[in-house]
Structures are given as structure tokens and as C-alpha cells.
Amino acid sequence: MKRFAITAETIYTVDKAGVLKNGIILIENDKITAVAPQMTLPSDVELIDFGRVSLMPGMVEAHSHLIAHDWNYDEDAYESNGSGGSLGKACSPDVDYYYHFDPRHRHLNDALAGGVTSANILPGSGKIITGTGFAAKMYGKTREELVIKRNTGVKIALGENPKRAVGSTGAIPTTRMGSAAVLRDALYKAQEYMKNKSKAEAEGKDFTLNLQLEPLLPLLRREIPGRIHAHRADDMITAMRIADEFNIIITLEHTTSGHLVAQEIAKRGIRCTLGPTMGSRSKQEVHAKGFLTALALEEAGVCFSLTTDASVLAIELIRLAGSLAHREGLSEEATLRALTINGAIVTGIEDRVGSLAVGKDADFAIYDGHPLSLRSNVLQTWVNGEKAWDRATWLEPWQKGF
Amino acid sequence: MLLIKNARLFTMTQGILEKASLLIEDGKITAIGEKIKTPKGCTVLDAEGKTVTPGLIEACGRPGLHEETVGAIGADEDETTEKIGAYLKALDGILPNDVSFQDALEGGVTTVNVCPGTSAIIAGQSAVIHTAGSNIIDRMVLKEPFGLFVNLVGGGNPRQGFRDRSDMVAKLVNELQKAKDFIAKREKALKEGKDAPEAGYRLAPMVDVIEGKLPLIMQVVYLHDIQNALELAEEWGFRLILQRVSEGYFCVENLVKAKVPLMVGPILMNRRGLFQTTSHKTPGVLSKAGLQFALSTEHPNTGIDHLVTTAAIANREGMSEEEALKAITLYPAQILGLDDQIGSLEVGKRADLVLWSGHPFETLTKVETVLIDGVSVYERRS
């Protein structure tokens, strides 16, 4: 068994232990087994003293489309939303985004270079139901080792994207009415299917599986959430209305108008991702975006995580989003949560990652200054108790030559 | 008259002046120094603990030309039907009260070179404008046309409608040749004592290009795009400005040798399509080789309010603080040929300046006041 301890001048645990000055974290294999302000270590336990640096949990990007972009210049598989089937052109719940996953992809290294150690990787938003996502570490040798959780939720999109992408082909939806109707239709069909399936199983009868509807069953059983793309407040409210009708759990994705309905989101305990907020207002539904939304959600008590929508923004810019939200007044403590533990909670992997606490994976990064400073650099990123990235030796792809 | 006193002045040409004063009269800076007497009837602004920089200059962006939030109905940067659009003018498409100009002011940007978009080989003429001051765009103009925006990127949006990279170069060269032929014809006519022929509005900008009156702002991403641009400029003798220069890290020596002005960026970007080889380290690599260049957001690729963020990250990733600040003030002013008016805090310059709550690169620093021609155009609501 590998057993060692780490210390640093400032440790942000993003947990009960708060901020520790020269505290000690004990790591056994890939897990954290103790976190304390002080600790007497057995003589056989090595102490790695990172010195005058800040140490914080590896950040968690809870809404990304990583890896789907091919390294080939003009290839862009981002809107990889499946081709539709019995549910019509606007739904492809049978698309499992996992099959995009290339564990050698540069995005993983970009993430580590930015202090990000885990991500929820989801299909796009060019349909009402685009498929299911998965959560992965950004460091590991095999694909199996990288994956934290398969099927982190069914990706659903409201708002203008599916209207544009599907509606322009002449199929429903061309309106927000149509979008909601398509979603209801799919969920009704899945409900009927679930009933028929249970009945057939109870009666011991043959039953033909419908692979388009199967992925919606865990959603109806409240085992996974529907992750609903909703920038505008009206789209968020529609999402809540439909969630109530079908008694499903949802997360709200993007929520750039979340300040308008923060109380409503808080009241229902819906978890959210917020962003991407940098960049221009490229479409109508993002018209209200700004870092003040983070303050409103925090004030209302919403559990939200900041997102880059990577690679809509490069994943390492998530920390910059934190810096800019902090500038607008989001407290240091809330900002760090929004970059780490909240992302883990939104993704549903908080038992593994997101804070420095006993029982969690030893995923962390060290910084040569305050983690939220525009001037500080990531020095090292550790995943599962191993050094996964080191600024001193890292080369960007282009630095390796042609 | 306005006297700003006790400020930390980042002059860009005379270093940093501590606890200094700056006098503004009739829209111009008329005195800078530690001991300036307050003239009679002058408004005094005590800027104790604050920093003053010149108004930031965005070397290439599309605020107002690509309107925010509305999509196609306000997307006026790409005349997709016209691949050879030397006669198109950005000025005709800029909405002066687009929300992006408010963003610009919030980020301390007072001047922007608005360039047409990326869907054509010759996209049109750029306009250098102030970011506030009027609902009439013509009254915001500092220089128009400034340059002709050309896309030489052999991929993504610019390549739409072309067979390949060589096809794009061929179309551009064809226009250059037409202009050259016209000049020869005109010279011949004048020699023979005949009336000079008219170039016409379509060809005239290209004639200006050949005669060195109008620079080509060439968007280049990949190594071979950059090299193509440099070689074409050498062959045809036009004034070249390289824009974006994403893979500049591959050909630093070429760039040092060519001495062409650079508008580097955006760097705070996605990792898709043409931006996959973008690096936060590019400005640092180029700067360390001795190159002086403008940093750019190419709004809306990065929001124009993040010009200063771009410089802060470039600084973090290897560019000196002084160079990073000059790259959003003095150097773009020089590239745009406006350094006699803007880009530094000097007597005689336009009073385009930004009052910051602290150092512009510190996380918690905010833009508090922005002046254009001595007039307050933005005050932060606290």
C-alpha cells in the first residue's frame, strides 16, 4: 500500500475543515484518509511539503462536450446528436456519448493544465433529447480507469437550439410549444413502455425491448436526472413544469437567466450549471448572461457550478470564470465551491471528488498564488494520489514540434 | 477642464508616474506631472489609490457589426454572397448603440478597429471608431477606411465556397493583378497625355492596396497561412498586417524577419475548429522574441470586455507586464497609425483614458470611469 502525506501553506479543503494553514492530508493509495490542521505522522510515512503554495481540490467541470472535437482541424463532432428513430427526428436517447471518448485526447491534458480533474461529458443541444452522458477523470491509463460513472443523465434541450437544428429540417419542433410537446411525447411513450414491460415481466410474457425508450427508464425511476439545457427563465420554468408532470429529477444547464427565477430553482432544490459566461452573447437566449447571476443563485441558496461548456470555451478557462465571478462579488468560499464540490454534486459524483475530505479520491492542484488570482499558475495537478501534470515538465502540443 | 490628481499613471511612453496629476482641457491632455496647479474653475478628481491608463484599443473586432443576441437579423459582418468584397465597408453595418459597446466601456476599451467578417477572401474595409459618443456612427470615426480585411485561412468559415487554400490565394492574386493592370493603364494614359481612367468603386480599394495607401489585414491561423501571407506581401509589395496569428509560435523567426504588424488573438477561446491550435502562450513566445504587437479579442470571439483579461493572461503566460499593457494601448495605436492621438498618456493626445480601482491585471480591479475626448462615457455603478 502506498501511504504518504501532503502539506502546503494554504489548503482550501472546500469541506468542513475549511482553509488550513500548513495542514496535513494523509493519502493511502488513491484515497484521502485523514485531513487535519496538525498530525503526528508515523515515521514510515513520507511528507511531501509543497511549500508556499495554495492547494485546492481538483476542479469539476459539470457540463462539457470534451473530446468530441477531433484533433483534425476542420472536424467538429460537437453537435453529435444522433440521427433520430421511432421518437422522431428530435429525440435520440439511445445515443451514448461514451463512445466518443478518446482517452488520448488533448482536452484531457488541457484540463489537467488548468487544475480540472473530473468532468461530466454530455451530448449537445441540437435536439430535444440528445442522449446520455458520462463522468470521467482527466487522468488515467485506460478508458475504464478514466470513467467515474456511466450514464450521468439524459441530456435534454429546450430553447432555441433544437428549434433551429431540427425545425430547420421541416420537423417538429419549430416553436417552444413544439419543444415541450416533443419532450412530453417521449416521456409519455416511455411511461407506457415501462408499464407494459413491468406487466409482461410480471406475467412472464415475451417482451420486445425498445432501445430508444430503454435509456429513459432510469430517468422515470428517478435514478438519473434529466439535464435540461435552459438559458432563458421561461425555458427553465417549462423544464420544471414538465419535471413535475412526470415526477422526474432534473438539473438545469446553463441557467444564464437564473437570476430571474433563483427563488423558484432554490425552492425545488434543483441543481444547476451556470455558463459559459465569458464570450459574446452569440444568440438571443444568452442575452442576460453575466457573472451577477452567480451572486443571485448563491444568495437564493441554489447549488450551482460554473461551467465553460468545454470546448465551447477551453476547459482551463473555468478558473478564469471563477476569478471573474469573484470580482463581481461572489465570495471566495462560494466561488471555490462553484468550481469544485458543487460540480461534483451536480454531476452526482460527490462521493468520489470535489473536496478534500476523508474517503474521497486524492485529486488536487497546487497554485503559486491564490487560486482565484489572474496572476497565479497551476503548478501541479494530482489525480488518484498520483502526479498527473507538472508545469515544470509539461509541453503544449505545439511545443513538441510539428 | 478636469484635473485628475494623486493617481498612478501608466503612461505607456514615460513609464509609471506615482501620485501624479493629469490635466484635461478641451478633450486633450494638456499637462502631466507631479506638481500641476489647479487652474481656476477646474473640476478636481482625487484618484488616490487608483490607476489611470490610456483608453484600451481593440485592434480587430466586430462590435456593433455583429450585433449581440439577435442572430441573423443583426449579423452584418459577413456578406456571404460576395467573396471579393473590397468595396464593402464595415462603417455601413455598425449599430452604434449595440450592447457590445457598453461591454467595451466596462472593460476600458475606448477605440476599436471594426473589421468585416471571415466568410470572404476579401471581406471589406475596416473602420477605426470610438466606442461611445454618438448615435451617429460617422461621428465616432477616427479613421475610415483603415484597412482591407482579407481571410487567408485555409479552413473553417473563410474556406467556405473555395476549392482549397490555393484557390483562395488565386482569387486574391487575381484582384491584385487587376489593380496592377489598371495602374499600368493609367500611367500609360497619363504619359500619352490622355485623361486618366477611373478605377471605379470596386477596384479602387485594390489600387490603394497596390499603391500602399490601404493595408491588408490578413487573418491567418495556421503556419502555412502565415507563410503564404508573408510571401504574397513580399511578392506584391502591399502593406501587410497579420491578424490572429494563432500558430505564430511555429514561425517566430519568419515574423521577426518580416517586421509586419501583428494583431494577436483571440486566445481566450474554445478548442474547436480553427481554434484548436490556439495557445495562451503565443503572446509570450512572440514577445520574448522581441516582437511588439497588439493583443486582440476579435470580438465576438472573445467578448470585447475581456481585452484586459486577455492581456492579464498573456502576462501570466510569459509576456512582461509592460509589454502586455502596451499591447492593448500603445502598440495597437501605432499599428492603426493613430499613435499621435491615442494609446498613451502624453500632452497633446486625446483624453481617452480609464480610471481603474487598482492594477488592471489584479483579479478584483474594476473599471471605474472611462473618458473619451475628456468626456465621461462610463461610470461604474457601485
Side-chain angles (χ1 to χ4, degrees):
Chain A
M1 184 181 74
K2 186 178 72 173
R3 193 157 76 131
F4 65 105
I6 56 170
T7 184
E9 186 178 65
T10 312
I11 298 176
Y12 299 91
T13 65
V14 199
D15 195 64
K16 290 189 297 288
V19 183
L20 300 174
K21 289 287 170 188
N22 299 302
I24 305 274
I25 295 173
L26 189 64
I27 296 166
E28 294 181 23
N29 291 329
D30 57 344
K31 297 282 184 198
I32 295 168
T33 52
V35 179
Q38 285 160 348
M39 202 186 304
T40 312
L41 294 168
S43 59
D44 64 326
V45 173
E46 188 204 352
L47 176 68
I48 301 172
D49 185 352
F50 290 114
R52 297 193 58 187
V53 300
S54 307
L55 190 153
M56 69 178 262
M59 287 182 279
V60 182
E61 170 53 271
H63 180 113
S64 82
H65 311 285
L66 286 176
I67 298 161
H69 307 279
D70 201 281
W71 177 237
N72 295 329
Y73 292 151
D74 301 327
E75 178 67 26
D76 194 348
Y78 163 61
E79 293 293 350
S80 182
N81 297 316
S83 56
S86 62
L87 291 173
K89 273 190 177 177
C91 296
S92 57
D94 48 335
V95 167
D96 184 345
Y97 217 51
Y98 177 73
Y99 298 109
H100 280 300
F101 192 22
D102 172 0
R104 303 163 307 167
H105 201 285
R106 107 164 256 200
H107 287 163
L108 298 179
N109 222 304
D110 290 344
L112 295 172
V116 179
T117 53
S118 305
N120 192 15
I121 304 174
L122 302 166
S125 51
K127 291 188 172 194
I128 299 303
I129 300 177
T130 54
T132 55
F134 66 100
K137 287 283 175 83
M138 300 290 100
Y139 177 74
K141 285 168 199 70
T142 64
R143 198 151 92 158
E144 292 70 21
E145 194 179 312
L146 280 154
V147 169
I148 303 171
K149 192 178 192 178
R150 289 284 296 273
N151 200 351
T152 50
V154 176
K155 180 71 190 296
I156 295 165
L158 297 175
E160 64 188 77
N161 288 4
K163 285 206 304 171
R164 184 174 57 238
V166 182
S168 63
T169 69
I172 189 169
T174 58
T175 59
R176 281 182 160 79
M177 293 190 296
S179 295
V182 167
L183 180 55
R184 280 199 186 91
D185 184 54
L187 292 171
Y188 274 125
K189 282 176 179 154
Q191 265 184 346
E192 288 301 306
Y193 173 76
M194 189 160 74
K195 271 185 225 156
N196 293 339
K197 192 181 172 190
S198 311
K199 198 171 158 221
E201 278 167 0
E203 291 169 3
K205 283 184 184 158
D206 284 348
F207 187 78
T208 309
L209 288 181
N210 180 329
L211 296 182
Q212 273 229 307
L213 293 173
E214 275 296 319
L216 297 177
L217 300 189
L219 175 65
L220 293 173
R221 292 195 295 259
R222 298 175 65 86
E223 292 162 8
I224 55 168
R227 298 193 177 275
I228 307 189
H229 168 114
H231 277 282
R232 270 175 32 174
D234 54 340
D235 292 329
M236 292 179 222
I237 296 298
T238 300
M240 293 178 204
R241 187 183 308 120
I242 295 174
D244 288 349
E245 289 168 19
F246 291 90
N247 189 29
I248 58 173
I249 298 171
I250 60 168
T251 62
L252 291 174
E253 306 289 335
H254 304 303
T255 51
T256 51
S257 295
H259 49 281
L260 299 176
V261 287
Q263 296 299 334
E264 204 60 30
I265 300 170
K267 197 173 84 189
R268 291 157 185 265
I270 295 172
R271 291 156 183 172
C272 304
T273 58
L274 174 63
T277 306
M278 284 184 67
S280 78
R281 303 166 194 83
S282 54
K283 48 187 176 175
Q284 196 278 338
E285 66 181 11
V286 302
H287 68 283
K289 75 193 174 75
F291 287 103
L292 287 170
T293 307
L295 269 68
L297 293 178
E298 179 65 22
E299 205 166 287
V302 176
C303 174
F304 72 97
S305 73
L306 293 167
T307 179
T308 59
D309 203 6
S311 286
V312 170
L313 286 174
I315 189 163
E316 64 266 35
L317 297 179
I318 190 171
R319 185 164 68 101
L320 184 53
S323 301
L324 297 171
H326 183 45
R327 171 186 292 178
E328 289 301 327
L330 190 64
S331 74
E332 172 192 288
E333 187 263 338
T335 307
L336 293 179
R337 269 193 281 115
L339 293 171
T340 58
I341 187 66
N342 288 6
I345 294 170
V346 173
T347 307
I349 51 175
E350 71 273 24
D351 56 327
R352 291 274 305 274
V353 300
S355 62
L356 301 174
V358 173
K360 295 231 181 167
D361 295 0
D363 295 357
F364 57 89
I366 58 171
Y367 300 83
D368 60 1
H370 193 289
L372 297 180
S373 167
L374 293 178
R375 294 179 187 274
S376 67
N377 295 291
V378 182
L379 296 178
Q380 292 180 11
T381 305
W382 289 56
V383 176
N384 298 334
E386 280 183 48
K387 185 161 74 179
W389 184 88
D390 191 332
R391 182 177 169 86
T393 54
W394 181 59
L395 292 176
E396 291 208 21
W398 56 272
Q399 287 173 316
K400 294 172 190 158
F402 290 88
Chain B
M1 267 192 298
L2 173 69
L3 182 75
I4 300 175
K5 65 174 195 180
N6 286 328
R8 190 173 194 220
L9 304 181
F10 284 48
T11 65
M12 303 303 156
T13 47
Q14 312 292 323
I16 299 169
L17 305 178
E18 302 288 351
K19 293 227 167 260
S21 302
L22 185 145
L23 185 65
I24 298 165
E25 294 172 272
D26 298 327
K28 293 266 177 20
I29 300 171
T30 53
I32 294 179
E34 280 162 32
K35 293 193 182 82
I36 298 173
K37 279 191 187 157
T38 311
K40 250 189 184 170
C42 180
T43 312
V44 178
L45 177 66
D46 191 347
E48 176 80 47
K50 317 259 159 126
T51 299
V52 175
T53 68
L56 307 188
I57 303 169
E58 172 56 73
C60 172
R62 302 182 182 96
L65 189 57
H66 171 95
E67 288 161 38
E68 296 281 292
T69 76
V70 295
I73 54 170
D76 293 318
E77 73 275 32
D78 288 318
E79 182 50 59
T80 52
T81 60
E82 183 61 283
K83 297 291 175 190
I84 308 288
Y87 63 104
L88 298 169
K89 293 164 89 66
L91 188 72
D92 298 324
I94 305 169
L95 176 71
N97 49 10
D98 185 60
V99 66
S100 57
F101 288 112
Q102 191 61 28
D103 292 348
L105 297 177
E106 284 177 19
V109 178
T110 53
T111 300
V112 55
N113 176 32
V114 182
C115 296
T118 58
S119 73
I121 178 76
I122 301 176
Q125 302 163 23
S126 81
V128 184
I129 59 167
H130 269 149
T131 50
S134 180
N135 283 330
I136 298 166
I137 192 68
D138 305 67
R139 296 189 186 157
M140 294 158 77
V141 167
L142 291 168
K143 189 182 264 190
E144 198 282 332
F146 163 68
L148 196 58
F149 197 77
V150 168
N151 292 288
L152 211 66
V153 185
N157 200 22
R159 181 165 152 189
Q160 301 287 317
F162 294 99
R163 202 176 60 243
D164 55 27
R165 199 177 244 102
S166 314
D167 188 24
M168 297 172 73
V169 171
K171 296 286 188 296
L172 175 64
V173 164
N174 189 43
E175 292 306 299
L176 291 167
Q177 186 62 46
K178 271 194 222 163
K180 227 174 172 175
D181 291 347
F182 169 79
I183 291 167
K185 197 170 104 187
R186 188 178 59 189
E187 273 170 17
K188 187 163 171 273
L190 289 172
K191 223 178 185 174
E192 291 167 358
K194 293 179 188 159
D195 287 346
E198 293 282 332
Y201 70 99
R202 280 175 173 262
L203 191 58
M206 294 309 294
V207 173
D208 287 347
V209 167
I210 292 291
E211 292 181 332
K213 293 176 195 156
L214 191 66
L216 291 186
I217 306 167
M218 278 201 185
Q219 179 163 98
V220 287
V221 169
Y222 305 121
L223 171 66
H224 42 336
D225 299 331
I226 299 171
Q227 290 174 335
N228 287 348
L230 293 175
E231 286 170 27
L232 285 170
E234 205 169 309
E235 189 183 339
W236 289 87
F238 54 78
R239 276 166 62 206
L240 174 66
I241 298 168
L242 292 180
Q243 187 263 336
R244 218 180 255 186
V245 209
S246 312
E247 288 191 356
Y249 44 70
F250 277 145
C251 55
V252 179
E253 284 170 18
N254 287 156
L255 294 170
V256 170
K257 191 164 155 254
K259 293 194 180 71
V260 299
L262 308 174
M263 300 168 170
V264 177
I267 57 167
L268 304 180
M269 278 311 300
N270 58 42
R271 280 279 147 65
R272 295 158 64 183
L274 294 177
F275 291 107
Q276 295 202 67
T277 58
T278 298
S279 168
H280 296 170
K281 291 188 162 46
T282 307
V285 170
L286 301 181
S287 182
K288 278 178 187 153
L291 289 163
Q292 298 179 337
F293 51 86
L295 283 168
S296 167
T297 63
E298 202 191 337
H299 176 94
N301 283 309
T302 300
I304 194 166
D305 44 335
H306 294 300
L307 183 59
V308 67
T309 320
T310 300
I313 297 301
N315 170 223
R316 186 184 85 194
E317 299 290 337
M319 196 173 183
S320 76
E321 189 174 292
E322 187 183 339
E323 286 297 297
L325 281 165
K326 285 181 178 171
I328 52 177
T329 53
L330 183 63
Y331 297 154
Q334 290 170 347
I335 293 172
L336 299 175
L338 290 167
D339 50 322
D340 58 331
Q341 298 180 42
I342 56 174
S344 60
L345 302 181
E346 286 179 288
V347 171
K349 298 268 173 97
R350 286 175 186 261
D352 290 3
L353 43 92
V354 185
L355 189 70
W356 309 76
S357 61
H359 190 291
F361 293 172
E362 289 299 335
T363 315
L364 298 180
T365 295
K366 291 168 178 171
V367 171
E368 296 198 337
T369 302
V370 179
L371 305 183
I372 289 181
D373 289 335
V375 176
S376 171
V377 289
Y378 173 78
E379 299 283 343
R380 186 174 175 89
R381 290 161 294 162
S382 50

